[in-house]
PDB file of all heavy atoms in Angstrom:
ATOM      1  N   GLU A 578      20.069 -35.071 -48.172  1.00 88.00           N
ATOM      2  CA  GLU A 578      21.181 -34.351 -47.552  1.00 88.00           C
ATOM      3  C   GLU A 578      20.685 -33.458 -46.421  1.00 88.00           C
ATOM      4  O   GLU A 578      21.323 -33.358 -45.371  1.00 88.00           O
ATOM      5  CB  GLU A 578      21.917 -33.511 -48.608  1.00 88.00           C
ATOM      6  CG  GLU A 578      23.204 -32.886 -48.117  1.00 88.00           C
ATOM      7  CD  GLU A 578      24.258 -33.906 -47.730  1.00 88.00           C
ATOM      8  OE1 GLU A 578      24.167 -35.069 -48.184  1.00 88.00           O
ATOM      9  OE2 GLU A 578      25.181 -33.541 -46.965  1.00 88.00           O
ATOM     10  N   SER A 579      19.541 -32.800 -46.630  1.00 88.00           N
ATOM     11  CA  SER A 579      18.976 -31.969 -45.569  1.00 88.00           C
ATOM     12  C   SER A 579      18.603 -32.813 -44.360  1.00 88.00           C
ATOM     13  O   SER A 579      18.816 -32.400 -43.207  1.00 88.00           O
ATOM     14  CB  SER A 579      17.736 -31.226 -46.090  1.00 88.00           C
ATOM     15  OG  SER A 579      18.072 -30.375 -47.171  1.00 88.00           O
ATOM     16  N   TYR A 580      18.071 -33.989 -44.617  1.00 88.00           N
ATOM     17  CA  TYR A 580      17.695 -34.887 -43.519  1.00 88.00           C
ATOM     18  C   TYR A 580      18.930 -35.321 -42.748  1.00 88.00           C
ATOM     19  O   TYR A 580      18.918 -35.361 -41.499  1.00 88.00           O
ATOM     20  CB  TYR A 580      16.970 -36.101 -44.085  1.00 88.00           C
ATOM     21  CG  TYR A 580      16.604 -37.134 -43.045  1.00 88.00           C
ATOM     22  CD1 TYR A 580      15.527 -36.932 -42.188  1.00 88.00           C
ATOM     23  CD2 TYR A 580      17.343 -38.315 -42.922  1.00 88.00           C
ATOM     24  CE1 TYR A 580      15.187 -37.874 -41.236  1.00 88.00           C
ATOM     25  CE2 TYR A 580      17.004 -39.259 -41.971  1.00 88.00           C
ATOM     26  CZ  TYR A 580      15.937 -39.037 -41.133  1.00 88.00           C
ATOM     27  OH  TYR A 580      15.623 -39.976 -40.187  1.00 88.00           O
ATOM     28  N   ARG A 581      20.021 -35.658 -43.468  1.00 87.00           N
ATOM     29  CA  ARG A 581      21.264 -36.057 -42.796  1.00 87.00           C
ATOM     30  C   ARG A 581      21.802 -34.918 -41.929  1.00 87.00           C
ATOM     31  O   ARG A 581      22.236 -35.131 -40.795  1.00 87.00           O
ATOM     32  CB  ARG A 581      22.315 -36.465 -43.819  1.00 87.00           C
ATOM     33  CG  ARG A 581      22.085 -37.828 -44.472  1.00 87.00           C
ATOM     34  CD  ARG A 581      23.336 -38.278 -45.193  1.00 87.00           C
ATOM     35  NE  ARG A 581      23.107 -39.496 -45.934  1.00 87.00           N
ATOM     36  CZ  ARG A 581      22.739 -39.554 -47.217  1.00 87.00           C
ATOM     37  NH1 ARG A 581      22.576 -38.418 -47.881  1.00 87.00           N
ATOM     38  NH2 ARG A 581      22.548 -40.704 -47.819  1.00 87.00           N
ATOM     39  N   ARG A 582      21.809 -33.710 -42.480  1.00 88.00           N
ATOM     40  CA  ARG A 582      22.322 -32.571 -41.724  1.00 88.00           C
ATOM     41  C   ARG A 582      21.462 -32.309 -40.491  1.00 88.00           C
ATOM     42  O   ARG A 582      21.994 -32.007 -39.415  1.00 88.00           O
ATOM     43  CB  ARG A 582      22.346 -31.331 -42.616  1.00 88.00           C
ATOM     44  CG  ARG A 582      23.409 -31.382 -43.714  1.00 88.00           C
ATOM     45  CD  ARG A 582      23.395 -30.118 -44.545  1.00 88.00           C
ATOM     46  NE  ARG A 582      24.419 -30.171 -45.580  1.00 88.00           N
ATOM     47  CZ  ARG A 582      24.605 -29.212 -46.480  1.00 88.00           C
ATOM     48  NH1 ARG A 582      23.832 -28.127 -46.460  1.00 88.00           N
ATOM     49  NH2 ARG A 582      25.550 -29.328 -47.396  1.00 88.00           N
ATOM     50  N   GLU A 583      20.153 -32.446 -40.647  1.00 89.00           N
ATOM     51  CA  GLU A 583      19.270 -32.253 -39.501  1.00 89.00           C
ATOM     52  C   GLU A 583      19.539 -33.295 -38.423  1.00 89.00           C
ATOM     53  O   GLU A 583      19.575 -32.974 -37.227  1.00 89.00           O
ATOM     54  CB  GLU A 583      17.810 -32.339 -39.951  1.00 89.00           C
ATOM     55  CG  GLU A 583      16.808 -32.106 -38.843  1.00 89.00           C
ATOM     56  CD  GLU A 583      15.375 -32.224 -39.311  1.00 89.00           C
ATOM     57  OE1 GLU A 583      15.169 -32.335 -40.545  1.00 89.00           O
ATOM     58  OE2 GLU A 583      14.475 -32.221 -38.470  1.00 89.00           O
ATOM     59  N   GLN A 584      19.753 -34.553 -38.852  1.00 89.00           N
ATOM     60  CA  GLN A 584      20.063 -35.602 -37.886  1.00 89.00           C
ATOM     61  C   GLN A 584      21.385 -35.330 -37.184  1.00 89.00           C
ATOM     62  O   GLN A 584      21.513 -35.522 -35.970  1.00 89.00           O
ATOM     63  CB  GLN A 584      20.124 -36.969 -38.594  1.00 89.00           C
ATOM     64  CG  GLN A 584      18.776 -37.483 -39.070  1.00 89.00           C
ATOM     65  CD  GLN A 584      17.854 -37.798 -37.917  1.00 89.00           C
ATOM     66  OE1 GLN A 584      16.941 -37.040 -37.606  1.00 89.00           O
ATOM     67  NE2 GLN A 584      18.071 -38.914 -37.272  1.00 89.00           N
ATOM     68  N   THR A 585      22.390 -34.866 -37.952  1.00 89.00           N
ATOM     69  CA  THR A 585      23.690 -34.545 -37.364  1.00 89.00           C
ATOM     70  C   THR A 585      23.566 -33.410 -36.356  1.00 89.00           C
ATOM     71  O   THR A 585      24.107 -33.476 -35.243  1.00 89.00           O
ATOM     72  CB  THR A 585      24.692 -34.158 -38.462  1.00 89.00           C
ATOM     73  OG1 THR A 585      24.828 -35.253 -39.384  1.00 89.00           O
ATOM     74  CG2 THR A 585      26.053 -33.846 -37.859  1.00 89.00           C
ATOM     75  N   HIS A 586      22.835 -32.348 -36.738  1.00 90.00           N
ATOM     76  CA  HIS A 586      22.646 -31.225 -35.825  1.00 90.00           C
ATOM     77  C   HIS A 586      21.892 -31.663 -34.578  1.00 90.00           C
ATOM     78  O   HIS A 586      22.197 -31.203 -33.465  1.00 90.00           O
ATOM     79  CB  HIS A 586      21.883 -30.102 -36.537  1.00 90.00           C
ATOM     80  CG  HIS A 586      22.655 -29.450 -37.631  1.00 90.00           C
ATOM     81  ND1 HIS A 586      22.084 -28.674 -38.628  1.00 90.00           N
ATOM     82  CD2 HIS A 586      23.990 -29.455 -37.913  1.00 90.00           C
ATOM     83  CE1 HIS A 586      23.010 -28.224 -39.441  1.00 90.00           C
ATOM     84  NE2 HIS A 586      24.180 -28.694 -39.040  1.00 90.00           N
ATOM     85  N   ARG A 587      20.919 -32.557 -34.760  1.00 90.00           N
ATOM     86  CA  ARG A 587      20.152 -33.035 -33.609  1.00 90.00           C
ATOM     87  C   ARG A 587      21.041 -33.840 -32.667  1.00 90.00           C
ATOM     88  O   ARG A 587      20.942 -33.701 -31.441  1.00 90.00           O
ATOM     89  CB  ARG A 587      18.980 -33.882 -34.101  1.00 90.00           C
ATOM     90  CG  ARG A 587      18.024 -34.323 -33.006  1.00 90.00           C
ATOM     91  CD  ARG A 587      16.830 -35.054 -33.587  1.00 90.00           C
ATOM     92  NE  ARG A 587      16.100 -34.211 -34.520  1.00 90.00           N
ATOM     93  CZ  ARG A 587      15.079 -34.643 -35.244  1.00 90.00           C
ATOM     94  NH1 ARG A 587      14.682 -35.907 -35.155  1.00 90.00           N
ATOM     95  NH2 ARG A 587      14.447 -33.827 -36.065  1.00 90.00           N
ATOM     96  N   GLN A 588      21.908 -34.680 -33.234  1.00 90.00           N
ATOM     97  CA  GLN A 588      22.814 -35.462 -32.397  1.00 90.00           C
ATOM     98  C   GLN A 588      23.783 -34.559 -31.645  1.00 90.00           C
ATOM     99  O   GLN A 588      24.045 -34.768 -30.448  1.00 90.00           O
ATOM    100  CB  GLN A 588      23.582 -36.461 -33.263  1.00 90.00           C
ATOM    101  CG  GLN A 588      22.726 -37.588 -33.811  1.00 90.00           C
ATOM    102  CD  GLN A 588      23.501 -38.506 -34.736  1.00 90.00           C
ATOM    103  OE1 GLN A 588      24.693 -38.282 -35.004  1.00 90.00           O
ATOM    104  NE2 GLN A 588      22.857 -39.549 -35.239  1.00 90.00           N
ATOM    105  N   VAL A 589      24.317 -33.539 -32.338  1.00 91.00           N
ATOM    106  CA  VAL A 589      25.237 -32.601 -31.680  1.00 91.00           C
ATOM    107  C   VAL A 589      24.509 -31.858 -30.565  1.00 91.00           C
ATOM    108  O   VAL A 589      25.054 -31.666 -29.461  1.00 91.00           O
ATOM    109  CB  VAL A 589      25.811 -31.605 -32.707  1.00 91.00           C
ATOM    110  CG1 VAL A 589      26.606 -30.507 -32.005  1.00 91.00           C
ATOM    111  CG2 VAL A 589      26.713 -32.334 -33.700  1.00 91.00           C
ATOM    112  N   ALA A 590      23.258 -31.444 -30.844  1.00 90.00           N
ATOM    113  CA  ALA A 590      22.487 -30.730 -29.819  1.00 90.00           C
ATOM    114  C   ALA A 590      22.206 -31.629 -28.619  1.00 90.00           C
ATOM    115  O   ALA A 590      22.287 -31.183 -27.470  1.00 90.00           O
ATOM    116  CB  ALA A 590      21.173 -30.219 -30.423  1.00 90.00           C
ATOM    117  N   MET A 591      21.882 -32.903 -28.861  1.00 91.00           N
ATOM    118  CA  MET A 591      21.622 -33.829 -27.772  1.00 91.00           C
ATOM    119  C   MET A 591      22.875 -34.073 -26.938  1.00 91.00           C
ATOM    120  O   MET A 591      22.814 -34.126 -25.704  1.00 91.00           O
ATOM    121  CB  MET A 591      21.104 -35.149 -28.333  1.00 91.00           C
ATOM    122  CG  MET A 591      19.694 -35.075 -28.924  1.00 91.00           C
ATOM    123  SD  MET A 591      18.450 -34.591 -27.700  1.00 91.00           S
ATOM    124  CE  MET A 591      18.520 -35.996 -26.593  1.00 91.00           C
ATOM    125  N   GLN A 592      24.028 -34.195 -27.606  1.00 90.00           N
ATOM    126  CA  GLN A 592      25.280 -34.375 -26.882  1.00 90.00           C
ATOM    127  C   GLN A 592      25.607 -33.139 -26.037  1.00 90.00           C
ATOM    128  O   GLN A 592      26.050 -33.257 -24.885  1.00 90.00           O
ATOM    129  CB  GLN A 592      26.410 -34.663 -27.862  1.00 90.00           C
ATOM    130  CG  GLN A 592      26.292 -36.017 -28.557  1.00 90.00           C
ATOM    131  CD  GLN A 592      27.347 -36.214 -29.629  1.00 90.00           C
ATOM    132  OE1 GLN A 592      28.115 -35.296 -29.928  1.00 90.00           O
ATOM    133  NE2 GLN A 592      27.379 -37.393 -30.227  1.00 90.00           N
ATOM    134  N   SER A 593      25.390 -31.954 -26.630  1.00 89.00           N
ATOM    135  CA  SER A 593      25.637 -30.725 -25.885  1.00 89.00           C
ATOM    136  C   SER A 593      24.687 -30.611 -24.701  1.00 89.00           C
ATOM    137  O   SER A 593      25.094 -30.207 -23.598  1.00 89.00           O
ATOM    138  CB  SER A 593      25.460 -29.522 -26.819  1.00 89.00           C
ATOM    139  OG  SER A 593      25.620 -28.311 -26.118  1.00 89.00           O
ATOM    140  N   LEU A 594      23.423 -30.986 -24.911  1.00 89.00           N
ATOM    141  CA  LEU A 594      22.446 -30.933 -23.824  1.00 89.00           C
ATOM    142  C   LEU A 594      22.808 -31.916 -22.716  1.00 89.00           C
ATOM    143  O   LEU A 594      22.684 -31.587 -21.524  1.00 89.00           O
ATOM    144  CB  LEU A 594      21.054 -31.251 -24.375  1.00 89.00           C
ATOM    145  CG  LEU A 594      19.896 -31.203 -23.376  1.00 89.00           C
ATOM    146  CD1 LEU A 594      19.773 -29.800 -22.794  1.00 89.00           C
ATOM    147  CD2 LEU A 594      18.593 -31.616 -24.049  1.00 89.00           C
ATOM    148  N   GLU A 595      23.278 -33.101 -23.102  1.00 90.00           N
ATOM    149  CA  GLU A 595      23.667 -34.092 -22.109  1.00 90.00           C
ATOM    150  C   GLU A 595      24.879 -33.613 -21.307  1.00 90.00           C
ATOM    151  O   GLU A 595      24.933 -33.789 -20.076  1.00 90.00           O
ATOM    152  CB  GLU A 595      23.995 -35.418 -22.806  1.00 90.00           C
ATOM    153  CG  GLU A 595      24.236 -36.577 -21.864  1.00 90.00           C
ATOM    154  CD  GLU A 595      23.005 -36.979 -21.095  1.00 90.00           C
ATOM    155  OE1 GLU A 595      21.886 -36.723 -21.584  1.00 90.00           O
ATOM    156  OE2 GLU A 595      23.152 -37.534 -19.990  1.00 90.00           O
ATOM    157  N   ALA A 596      25.846 -32.988 -22.006  1.00 89.00           N
ATOM    158  CA  ALA A 596      27.018 -32.452 -21.301  1.00 89.00           C
ATOM    159  C   ALA A 596      26.615 -31.327 -20.344  1.00 89.00           C
ATOM    160  O   ALA A 596      27.111 -31.249 -19.210  1.00 89.00           O
ATOM    161  CB  ALA A 596      28.043 -31.944 -22.317  1.00 89.00           C
ATOM    162  N   THR A 597      25.701 -30.454 -20.795  1.00 90.00           N
ATOM    163  CA  THR A 597      25.226 -29.371 -19.923  1.00 90.00           C
ATOM    164  C   THR A 597      24.481 -29.930 -18.716  1.00 90.00           C
ATOM    165  O   THR A 597      24.640 -29.439 -17.587  1.00 90.00           O
ATOM    166  CB  THR A 597      24.294 -28.438 -20.716  1.00 90.00           C
ATOM    167  OG1 THR A 597      24.995 -27.920 -21.852  1.00 90.00           O
ATOM    168  CG2 THR A 597      23.834 -27.277 -19.850  1.00 90.00           C
ATOM    169  N   LYS A 598      23.685 -30.975 -18.957  1.00 90.00           N
ATOM    170  CA  LYS A 598      22.952 -31.609 -17.852  1.00 90.00           C
ATOM    171  C   LYS A 598      23.914 -32.192 -16.823  1.00 90.00           C
ATOM    172  O   LYS A 598      23.714 -32.048 -15.604  1.00 90.00           O
ATOM    173  CB  LYS A 598      22.037 -32.693 -18.406  1.00 90.00           C
ATOM    174  CG  LYS A 598      21.247 -33.435 -17.359  1.00 90.00           C
ATOM    175  CD  LYS A 598      20.394 -34.524 -17.990  1.00 90.00           C
ATOM    176  CE  LYS A 598      19.650 -35.332 -16.925  1.00 90.00           C
ATOM    177  NZ  LYS A 598      18.846 -36.413 -17.541  1.00 90.00           N
ATOM    178  N   GLN A 599      24.972 -32.845 -17.311  1.00 90.00           N
ATOM    179  CA  GLN A 599      25.956 -33.433 -16.399  1.00 90.00           C
ATOM    180  C   GLN A 599      26.675 -32.354 -15.598  1.00 90.00           C
ATOM    181  O   GLN A 599      26.898 -32.500 -14.381  1.00 90.00           O
ATOM    182  CB  GLN A 599      26.958 -34.265 -17.192  1.00 90.00           C
ATOM    183  CG  GLN A 599      27.956 -35.020 -16.326  1.00 90.00           C
ATOM    184  CD  GLN A 599      28.849 -35.925 -17.150  1.00 90.00           C
ATOM    185  OE1 GLN A 599      28.696 -36.029 -18.357  1.00 90.00           O
ATOM    186  NE2 GLN A 599      29.781 -36.579 -16.500  1.00 90.00           N
ATOM    187  N   GLN A 600      27.037 -31.261 -16.269  1.00 90.00           N
ATOM    188  CA  GLN A 600      27.695 -30.158 -15.570  1.00 90.00           C
ATOM    189  C   GLN A 600      26.774 -29.556 -14.511  1.00 90.00           C
ATOM    190  O   GLN A 600      27.216 -29.212 -13.399  1.00 90.00           O
ATOM    191  CB  GLN A 600      28.119 -29.080 -16.570  1.00 90.00           C
ATOM    192  CG  GLN A 600      29.248 -29.506 -17.495  1.00 90.00           C
ATOM    193  CD  GLN A 600      29.584 -28.443 -18.517  1.00 90.00           C
ATOM    194  OE1 GLN A 600      28.935 -27.404 -18.573  1.00 90.00           O
ATOM    195  NE2 GLN A 600      30.601 -28.682 -19.326  1.00 90.00           N
ATOM    196  N   LEU A 601      25.484 -29.430 -14.843  1.00 90.00           N
ATOM    197  CA  LEU A 601      24.521 -28.890 -13.887  1.00 90.00           C
ATOM    198  C   LEU A 601      24.376 -29.805 -12.677  1.00 90.00           C
ATOM    199  O   LEU A 601      24.320 -29.340 -11.534  1.00 90.00           O
ATOM    200  CB  LEU A 601      23.171 -28.694 -14.572  1.00 90.00           C
ATOM    201  CG  LEU A 601      22.043 -28.120 -13.700  1.00 90.00           C
ATOM    202  CD1 LEU A 601      22.444 -26.758 -13.159  1.00 90.00           C
ATOM    203  CD2 LEU A 601      20.749 -28.032 -14.500  1.00 90.00           C
ATOM    204  N   GLN A 602      24.334 -31.118 -12.937  1.00 89.00           N
ATOM    205  CA  GLN A 602      24.239 -32.066 -11.825  1.00 89.00           C
ATOM    206  C   GLN A 602      25.468 -31.993 -10.931  1.00 89.00           C
ATOM    207  O   GLN A 602      25.358 -32.040  -9.700  1.00 89.00           O
ATOM    208  CB  GLN A 602      24.062 -33.490 -12.372  1.00 89.00           C
ATOM    209  CG  GLN A 602      22.704 -33.736 -13.015  1.00 89.00           C
ATOM    210  CD  GLN A 602      22.597 -35.111 -13.638  1.00 89.00           C
ATOM    211  OE1 GLN A 602      23.606 -35.785 -13.880  1.00 89.00           O
ATOM    212  NE2 GLN A 602      21.384 -35.544 -13.922  1.00 89.00           N
ATOM    213  N   GLU A 603      26.650 -31.859 -11.553  1.00 88.00           N
ATOM    214  CA  GLU A 603      27.871 -31.737 -10.763  1.00 88.00           C
ATOM    215  C   GLU A 603      27.866 -30.443  -9.946  1.00 88.00           C
ATOM    216  O   GLU A 603      28.294 -30.428  -8.784  1.00 88.00           O
ATOM    217  CB  GLU A 603      29.089 -31.771 -11.689  1.00 88.00           C
ATOM    218  CG  GLU A 603      29.308 -33.123 -12.360  1.00 88.00           C
ATOM    219  CD  GLU A 603      30.449 -33.093 -13.363  1.00 88.00           C
ATOM    220  OE1 GLU A 603      30.988 -31.980 -13.595  1.00 88.00           O
ATOM    221  OE2 GLU A 603      30.791 -34.162 -13.906  1.00 88.00           O
ATOM    222  N   SER A 604      27.373 -29.349 -10.552  1.00 89.00           N
ATOM    223  CA  SER A 604      27.312 -28.071  -9.832  1.00 89.00           C
ATOM    224  C   SER A 604      26.338 -28.153  -8.662  1.00 89.00           C
ATOM    225  O   SER A 604      26.614 -27.639  -7.571  1.00 89.00           O
ATOM    226  CB  SER A 604      26.890 -26.949 -10.791  1.00 89.00           C
ATOM    227  OG  SER A 604      27.827 -26.802 -11.843  1.00 89.00           O
ATOM    228  N   LEU A 605      25.189 -28.816  -8.897  1.00 88.00           N
ATOM    229  CA  LEU A 605      24.211 -28.968  -7.814  1.00 88.00           C
ATOM    230  C   LEU A 605      24.766 -29.835  -6.692  1.00 88.00           C
ATOM    231  O   LEU A 605      24.556 -29.538  -5.505  1.00 88.00           O
ATOM    232  CB  LEU A 605      22.920 -29.580  -8.373  1.00 88.00           C
ATOM    233  CG  LEU A 605      22.094 -28.677  -9.292  1.00 88.00           C
ATOM    234  CD1 LEU A 605      20.912 -29.437  -9.862  1.00 88.00           C
ATOM    235  CD2 LEU A 605      21.616 -27.435  -8.548  1.00 88.00           C
ATOM    236  N   ALA A 606      25.482 -30.907  -7.071  1.00 85.00           N
ATOM    237  CA  ALA A 606      26.077 -31.772  -6.052  1.00 85.00           C
ATOM    238  C   ALA A 606      27.114 -31.008  -5.242  1.00 85.00           C
ATOM    239  O   ALA A 606      27.191 -31.140  -4.007  1.00 85.00           O
ATOM    240  CB  ALA A 606      26.700 -33.000  -6.710  1.00 85.00           C
ATOM    241  N   LEU A 607      27.928 -30.183  -5.935  1.00 85.00           N
ATOM    242  CA  LEU A 607      28.926 -29.374  -5.233  1.00 85.00           C
ATOM    243  C   LEU A 607      28.255 -28.363  -4.312  1.00 85.00           C
ATOM    244  O   LEU A 607      28.706 -28.135  -3.181  1.00 85.00           O
ATOM    245  CB  LEU A 607      29.818 -28.668  -6.253  1.00 85.00           C
ATOM    246  CG  LEU A 607      30.919 -27.761  -5.683  1.00 85.00           C
ATOM    247  CD1 LEU A 607      31.869 -28.564  -4.816  1.00 85.00           C
ATOM    248  CD2 LEU A 607      31.673 -27.066  -6.814  1.00 85.00           C
ATOM    249  N   ALA A 608      27.155 -27.764  -4.798  1.00 86.00           N
ATOM    250  CA  ALA A 608      26.430 -26.801  -3.964  1.00 86.00           C
ATOM    251  C   ALA A 608      25.853 -27.480  -2.730  1.00 86.00           C
ATOM    252  O   ALA A 608      25.874 -26.915  -1.630  1.00 86.00           O
ATOM    253  CB  ALA A 608      25.320 -26.144  -4.789  1.00 86.00           C
ATOM    254  N   ASP A 609      25.344 -28.717  -2.906  1.00 81.00           N
ATOM    255  CA  ASP A 609      24.807 -29.449  -1.756  1.00 81.00           C
ATOM    256  C   ASP A 609      25.902 -29.754  -0.734  1.00 81.00           C
ATOM    257  O   ASP A 609      25.694 -29.615   0.480  1.00 81.00           O
ATOM    258  CB  ASP A 609      24.151 -30.751  -2.227  1.00 81.00           C
ATOM    259  CG  ASP A 609      22.861 -30.491  -2.993  1.00 81.00           C
ATOM    260  OD1 ASP A 609      22.288 -29.403  -2.830  1.00 81.00           O
ATOM    261  OD2 ASP A 609      22.443 -31.378  -3.768  1.00 81.00           O
ATOM    262  N   ARG A 610      27.074 -30.163  -1.233  1.00 77.00           N
ATOM    263  CA  ARG A 610      28.176 -30.456  -0.311  1.00 77.00           C
ATOM    264  C   ARG A 610      28.620 -29.200   0.428  1.00 77.00           C
ATOM    265  O   ARG A 610      28.899 -29.236   1.638  1.00 77.00           O
ATOM    266  CB  ARG A 610      29.354 -31.075  -1.082  1.00 77.00           C
ATOM    267  CG  ARG A 610      29.082 -32.492  -1.581  1.00 77.00           C
ATOM    268  CD  ARG A 610      30.369 -33.161  -2.024  1.00 77.00           C
ATOM    269  NE  ARG A 610      31.001 -32.485  -3.139  1.00 77.00           N
ATOM    270  CZ  ARG A 610      30.754 -32.778  -4.418  1.00 77.00           C
ATOM    271  NH1 ARG A 610      29.875 -33.732  -4.722  1.00 77.00           N
ATOM    272  NH2 ARG A 610      31.376 -32.141  -5.384  1.00 77.00           N
ATOM    273  N   ASN A 611      28.691 -28.076  -0.311  1.00 81.00           N
ATOM    274  CA  ASN A 611      29.081 -26.820   0.338  1.00 81.00           C
ATOM    275  C   ASN A 611      28.051 -26.398   1.382  1.00 81.00           C
ATOM    276  O   ASN A 611      28.408 -25.869   2.439  1.00 81.00           O
ATOM    277  CB  ASN A 611      29.248 -25.717  -0.710  1.00 81.00           C
ATOM    278  CG  ASN A 611      30.469 -25.940  -1.590  1.00 81.00           C
ATOM    279  OD1 ASN A 611      31.411 -26.615  -1.184  1.00 81.00           O
ATOM    280  ND2 ASN A 611      30.451 -25.386  -2.795  1.00 81.00           N
ATOM    281  N   ALA A 612      26.762 -26.643   1.065  1.00 82.00           N
ATOM    282  CA  ALA A 612      25.714 -26.296   2.028  1.00 82.00           C
ATOM    283  C   ALA A 612      25.833 -27.153   3.282  1.00 82.00           C
ATOM    284  O   ALA A 612      25.649 -26.663   4.406  1.00 82.00           O
ATOM    285  CB  ALA A 612      24.343 -26.479   1.378  1.00 82.00           C
TER     286      ALA A 612
END
């Protein structure tokens, strides 16, 4: 059960990290266009 929970938390963290990465890329692209 601990292993399952760790895997679930890891997947949630990876999804959150991927979403943050995408938002950062969009912000950088917007900053480049504004520049």
Side-chain angles (χ1 to χ4, degrees):
E578 189 64 20
S579 299
Y580 177 76
R581 286 194 186 93
R582 290 181 179 178
E583 182 181 352
Q584 290 294 103
T585 301
H586 292 163
R587 186 175 301 175
Q588 290 176 358
V589 172
M591 290 299 295
Q592 292 174 355
S593 177
L594 182 61
E595 188 66 25
T597 302
K598 179 182 177 181
Q599 185 175 357
Q600 291 177 357
L601 180 59
Q602 290 176 343
E603 292 175 355
S604 299
L605 290 175
L607 179 60
D609 290 339
R610 290 194 297 270
N611 290 336

